[in-house]
Amino acid sequence: MSMAAVLERLRGNVDKMKSVEYRHEQLRALLRCIDENVDRWTEALRKDLHKSKMECLVMEVNYTRNEVICHLNNLDEWTKPEYVKKELLQISDECYIQKEPLGVVLIIGAWNYPVQLVLCPLIAAISAGNCAIMKPSELSEATAALIEELLPKYVDKDCFAVINGGVKETTELLEQKFDHIMYTGNSNVGKIVMAAAAKHLTPVTLELGGKSPCYVDKDCDVEVAARRIAWGRFVNSGQTCIAPDYVLCPSENQERLLKGLQAALEEYFGKDPKESEDYCRIVNQRHFQRVKTMIEKTKGSIAIGGDSDEKDLYISPTVVKDVQPTDALMEGEIFGPVLPIVTAETADDAVRFINSRDKPLALYAFANDKKVVRDIAQRTSSGSFCGNDTMMQMSLATLPFGGVGPSGMGSYHGKFGFDAFSHKKAVLVKALAMEKVNNLRYPPYTEKKMSWINWLSAKKVKSRGGIFSFLSFTVIMTILAVLIKVLSVMTYLV
């Protein structure tokens, strides 16, 4: 079946998904798909990326499961009309925002977290009432095949489809007219997706990446910072879009940080990480060569690691010190188990350096003084920010996940995902009464009408933080509302 035919089939069933109860059914079915196949999910992830069972569960399976439950627990509330504050002219009207589905959406997943990055957007799409086509990454072959096998057994095949393949299939999909496209991956492909979407004026959510900085202040518990940075950088063998990509720290802290990183890595993966069941592998030969070439080109000093085994797609956790801003390791996102350390003597130096580069997907800062952390958050721009830890901002469904500028556009997770796949429709409903009041806006126009309209609609700048001005406004509005109601009753009686 052609891509156009698959899309047409789904488009013919969009009305099914308008039912909130049916969305609940589909979400519960997806939850069963996760729960009844845990071993198969972990097996596929092991094949694709050599992920340990705990990493599969915590960062993929359970993470996705919790996202489903978040939507199930909140969907009824999210779909209710959102009543808005009214002004005098609309005081007797019904005014609200209605969230409605977009239609049929396309979800293009990524290979580094191939379960989470396909199913979490799908959860949001279902919750918002959309049909969806999913395109898993062909690089995580085992997981992509499992998604294609399992999903049709659980969710409605008339509303959801999985398309596997490579560039050819993705290109053909992008030629179709969708109602929204969500893409997770690198910025080069992100530009292709956005250009294709623009031909149909299709809105997009782009979850991209970039070089996420990590500042370590001179006044900091360096050992604790090292443990948290080592985990964030080297989990999934560094193949995480929000992993700290490089460290900025004062020269006086560099050796202490290196010792802390070395100790943490030995604790996590042993003396030889290659023998650790908990250390992942690079996804394929192309990415192995890409990361290996970066290490070979660096002018910095390799302080930890630097080993590799091409047959095993293994690159050891590698830390490079004395890295210059123009180094090969600082040109683009590393997306591998390599951590450059760049000197920044003060927080101000770090802020200037960060602000001189593209806005990152994530930004991290470690300091004993939380004022320093908050100051860096305030003076920089990034998709997300985490102080005194790494990547943990992703663990909270009430925080959005998304980029800014070159690191992406739009966000999801929890209600933010529901909103990303919803249209917020403005609704105003009037009664067919009180037509004399409406006469003010009808021709012929007069000075008297203009005077009344100005009195009813003109806004005034209110004093900041003045409780009495707020109370007086509330009292006036209440009195006017009562008067209008009384007038309407009298008009009806007459």
Side-chain angles (χ1 to χ4, degrees):
M1 188 182 291
S2 69
M3 305 297 179
V6 173
L7 180 59
E8 189 62 28
R9 174 167 59 84
L10 268 58
R11 203 171 286 287
N13 290 281
V14 292
D15 285 348
K16 274 188 180 183
M17 295 300 297
K18 290 181 179 178
S19 163
V20 175
E21 185 53 44
Y22 196 63
R23 300 181 209 178
H24 272 281
E25 288 181 22
Q26 295 304 297
L27 289 171
R28 287 193 293 269
L30 189 55
L31 184 60
R32 291 197 305 275
C33 179
I34 295 167
D35 287 344
E36 293 172 7
N37 298 280
V38 171
D39 289 342
R40 297 198 66 190
W41 293 118
T42 57
E43 180 186 356
L45 291 164
R46 184 73 176 178
K47 285 181 181 176
D48 287 331
L49 289 151
H50 197 264
K51 292 196 183 197
S52 68
K53 185 170 183 177
M54 182 171 171
E55 202 168 306
C56 292
L57 292 174
V58 173
M59 305 186 80
E60 294 265 25
V61 179
N62 291 353
Y63 187 94
T64 305
R65 186 179 190 278
N66 286 341
E67 184 74 5
V68 180
I69 293 170
C70 171
H71 283 255
L72 281 169
N73 289 346
N74 292 283
L75 181 55
D76 291 337
E77 186 64 31
W78 293 343
T79 51
K80 287 179 181 178
E82 182 183 335
Y83 289 91
V84 298
K85 183 179 177 181
K86 294 185 285 188
E87 298 179 356
L88 188 56
L89 281 171
Q90 297 83 29
I91 197 69
S92 62
D93 302 334
E94 189 179 2
C95 306
Y96 60 91
I97 298 167
Q98 180 66 55
K99 278 80 75 175
E100 64 181 22
L102 297 175
V104 183
V105 304
L106 173 62
I107 297 164
I108 305 176
W111 53 262
N112 55 326
Y113 290 89
V115 175
Q116 177 200 138
L117 295 177
V118 170
L119 297 190
C120 284
L122 173 62
I123 292 161
I126 293 173
S127 180
N130 299 282
C131 295
I133 292 178
M134 288 143 281
K135 168 59 182 70
S137 172
E138 67 275 16
L139 300 189
S140 48
E141 187 176 353
T143 307
L146 187 59
I147 291 172
E148 185 178 26
E149 176 196 338
L150 291 180
L151 282 191
K153 296 178 181 178
Y154 290 89
V155 298
D156 190 338
K157 293 188 288 292
D158 291 330
C159 296
F160 307 100
V162 180
I163 304 292
N164 270 327
V167 174
K168 177 180 177 293
E169 288 75 15
T170 304
T171 302
E172 190 177 346
L173 278 170
L174 289 173
E175 290 171 355
Q176 312 306 314
K177 179 177 172 55
F178 288 92
D179 299 295
H180 194 94
I181 298 174
M182 174 175 275
Y183 165 76
T184 304
N186 66 65
S187 58
N188 290 331
V189 177
K191 292 174 184 177
I192 294 170
V193 170
M194 194 169 181
K199 293 178 182 177
H200 302 291
L201 294 180
T202 298
V204 296
T205 300
L206 302 178
E207 303 298 349
L208 307 177
K211 297 188 74 64
S212 296
C214 179
Y215 172 66
V216 179
D217 193 57
K218 63 181 179 180
D219 179 18
C220 176
D221 188 330
V222 175
E223 286 69 29
V224 171
R227 289 171 58 81
R228 297 178 185 182
I229 293 167
W231 174 76
R233 171 72 273 187
F234 298 107
V235 72
N236 202 35
S237 201
Q239 298 165 123
T240 305
C241 59
I242 59 166
D245 191 89
Y246 63 95
V247 169
L248 295 164
C249 79
S251 52
E252 66 184 82
N253 275 5
Q254 192 171 110
E255 289 306 316
R256 285 176 59 207
L257 182 61
L258 286 169
K259 287 179 182 177
L261 290 168
Q262 181 71 65
L265 290 170
E266 286 189 17
E267 178 188 342
Y268 299 161
F269 306 118
K271 294 280 187 183
D272 184 1
K274 189 178 180 182
E275 300 301 318
S276 171
E277 288 295 308
D278 299 324
Y279 189 69
C280 295
R281 297 297 187 267
I282 305 301
V283 68
N284 62 15
Q285 278 287 338
R286 180 170 66 85
H287 283 284
F288 174 88
Q289 292 298 337
R290 178 185 59 80
V291 177
K292 187 169 180 286
T293 300
M294 285 185 188
I295 297 172
E296 290 170 348
K297 285 184 176 180
T298 182
K299 303 297 184 184
S301 302
I302 296 175
I304 300 172
D307 306 319
S308 63
D309 182 342
E310 185 174 349
K311 289 183 180 179
D312 194 28
L313 297 177
Y314 166 80
I315 295 177
S316 67
T318 300
V319 181
V320 185
K321 66 178 183 177
D322 302 323
V323 174
Q324 298 300 310
T326 55
D327 193 88
L329 290 172
M330 298 301 292
E331 290 176 1
E333 185 177 8
I334 295 171
F335 221 68
V338 184
L339 183 66
I341 299 178
V342 179
T343 299
E345 297 295 354
T346 67
D348 287 340
D349 291 340
V351 167
R352 279 191 291 271
F353 185 85
I354 292 164
N355 288 342
S356 70
R357 303 170 77 88
D358 285 342
K359 295 178 180 180
L361 186 57
L363 197 157
Y364 305 101
F366 288 82
N368 286 329
D369 187 349
K370 287 189 177 180
K371 290 181 181 178
V372 173
V373 173
R374 294 191 193 100
D375 183 62
I376 292 174
Q378 182 68 32
R379 295 167 61 198
T380 58
S381 179
S382 56
S384 65
F385 178 91
C386 185
N388 291 329
D389 210 337
T390 60
M391 304 212 302
M392 291 306 293
Q393 71 273 26
M394 281 281 289
S395 65
L396 188 60
T398 49
L399 286 175
F401 169 61
V404 58
S407 60
M409 61 181 68
S411 61
Y412 71 118
H413 286 180
K415 188 176 185 297
F416 301 99
F418 175 86
D419 289 340
F421 287 105
S422 297
H423 167 60
K424 293 185 175 181
K425 181 165 66 179
V427 179
L428 186 149
V429 180
K430 300 180 77 72
L432 289 171
M434 296 181 66
E435 188 63 6
K436 288 184 178 180
V437 175
N438 289 318
N439 281 340
L440 292 174
R441 59 187 165 98
Y442 302 150
Y445 303 125
T446 65
E447 288 295 324
K448 186 177 181 180
K449 285 183 177 181
M450 190 70 240
S451 176
W452 274 103
I453 288 173
N454 281 338
W455 185 81
L456 289 168
S457 63
K459 295 182 184 293
K460 292 182 180 179
V461 178
K462 58 184 178 181
S463 59
R464 298 175 63 190
I467 186 168
F468 292 107
S469 63
F470 170 76
L471 289 173
S472 61
F473 173 79
T474 304
V475 170
I476 291 168
M477 291 296 287
T478 303
I479 292 170
L480 285 170
V482 171
L483 287 172
I484 289 171
K485 286 292 184 184
V486 169
L487 285 170
S488 65
V489 171
M490 290 176 66
T491 302
Y492 176 77
L493 291 174
V494 170

